[in-house]
Amino acid sequence: MGRTAAISRKTGETNIQLSFNVDGEGIADIDTGVPFMNHMLDLFTKHGQFNLTVQANGDIEVDDHHTTEDIGICLGQALKDAIGDKKGIKRYGNSFVPMDETLAQVVIDLSNRPHLEFRAEFPSQKVGTFDTELVHEFLWKLALEARMNLHVILHYGQNTHHMIEAIFKALARALDDATTIDPRIKGVPSTKGML
């Protein structure tokens, strides 16, 4: 079966079906109703070598907030469920990703202690119709529900699209690193004996 999980979430604002495979092949089937999120989740899947399916219907006639937030919640829950007891994983991941003039870094600890440190400012408030403040909202809910320590550092950049895309690619690569099984690790990678 592998390290997989499926999450369903239905509220008065959204209806989301999401499945996630940590040990995938970079295959994405994404339909969120939010074009920019479709793009970010597609490249997240490809660069992390995950498999991800998302079908989301939300109140996008209001704005993209609820849909984006709830996808972060569902993806975080699926990640937590998929990696299970965390035995044998590397636990930590770090990735730098350049995109043209931009350099982003994401550092992860699958510590069971949720925290988001977000050091990024975007020059534009929107990319297309997408509010750039929702990047923080998505990442905070992802970190909270996955119970991971997530540090996002945007070193520099000028183009908002490039900056956000570099963050999502770095997130994927750092998460791929942190979830990798290392045969040298016996049990859980913590002196506490648990995460």
Side-chain angles (χ1 to χ4, degrees):
M1 179 110 182
R3 296 186 293 169
T4 63
I7 300 292
S8 295
R9 176 180 172 86
K10 186 172 184 178
T11 73
E13 299 162 341
T14 63
N15 184 357
I16 297 171
Q17 309 295 318
L18 183 148
S19 65
F20 184 65
N21 183 347
V22 175
D23 306 306
E25 301 168 306
I27 298 170
D29 182 6
I30 313 291
D31 183 8
T32 69
V34 181
F36 189 72
M37 278 306 294
N38 290 349
H39 181 40
M40 292 302 106
L41 292 172
D42 187 48
L43 60 87
F44 165 81
T45 305
K46 184 71 171 178
H47 287 271
Q49 288 298 296
F50 309 124
N51 288 351
L52 177 63
T53 300
V54 182
Q55 292 296 316
N57 293 298
D59 57 354
I60 56 174
E61 71 281 359
V62 176
D63 64 11
D64 298 336
H65 184 104
H66 297 137
T67 302
T68 302
E69 177 182 30
D70 285 10
I71 291 168
I73 289 170
C74 291
L75 183 57
Q77 291 173 349
L79 171 61
K80 183 177 180 290
D81 289 352
I83 58 177
D85 62 13
K86 302 179 184 175
K87 288 181 180 175
I89 65 165
K90 287 174 133 183
R91 176 180 167 179
Y92 297 100
N94 179 32
S95 180
F96 287 88
V97 169
M99 186 166 181
D100 297 350
E101 84 297 341
T102 294
L103 181 64
Q105 180 183 14
V106 172
V107 186
I108 289 172
D109 177 9
L110 296 173
S111 62
N112 204 36
R113 294 189 306 276
H115 181 79
L116 172 64
E117 197 65 36
F118 188 77
R119 305 289 178 91
E121 294 182 13
F122 305 121
S124 301
Q125 292 183 348
K126 284 188 177 288
V127 176
T129 60
F130 184 81
D131 294 318
T132 57
E133 67 180 9
L134 295 180
V135 175
H136 180 277
E137 193 68 29
F138 172 85
L139 293 172
W140 167 229
K141 293 310 187 297
L142 174 67
L144 185 65
E145 296 295 333
R147 298 195 58 81
M148 70 176 167
N149 199 304
L150 175 58
H151 291 246
V152 176
I153 305 151
L154 188 63
H155 291 282
Y156 44 80
Q158 297 175 356
N159 180 287
T160 301
H161 188 130
H162 292 170
M163 295 158 93
I164 297 171
E165 186 164 332
I167 288 170
F168 271 81
K169 287 176 177 175
L171 172 66
R173 296 179 67 87
L175 191 56
D176 181 42
D177 194 22
T179 57
T180 296
I181 300 291
D182 185 335
R184 298 172 301 169
I185 298 170
K186 307 304 178 194
V188 174
S190 171
T191 54
K192 294 184 178 83
M194 63 177 290
L195 286 171

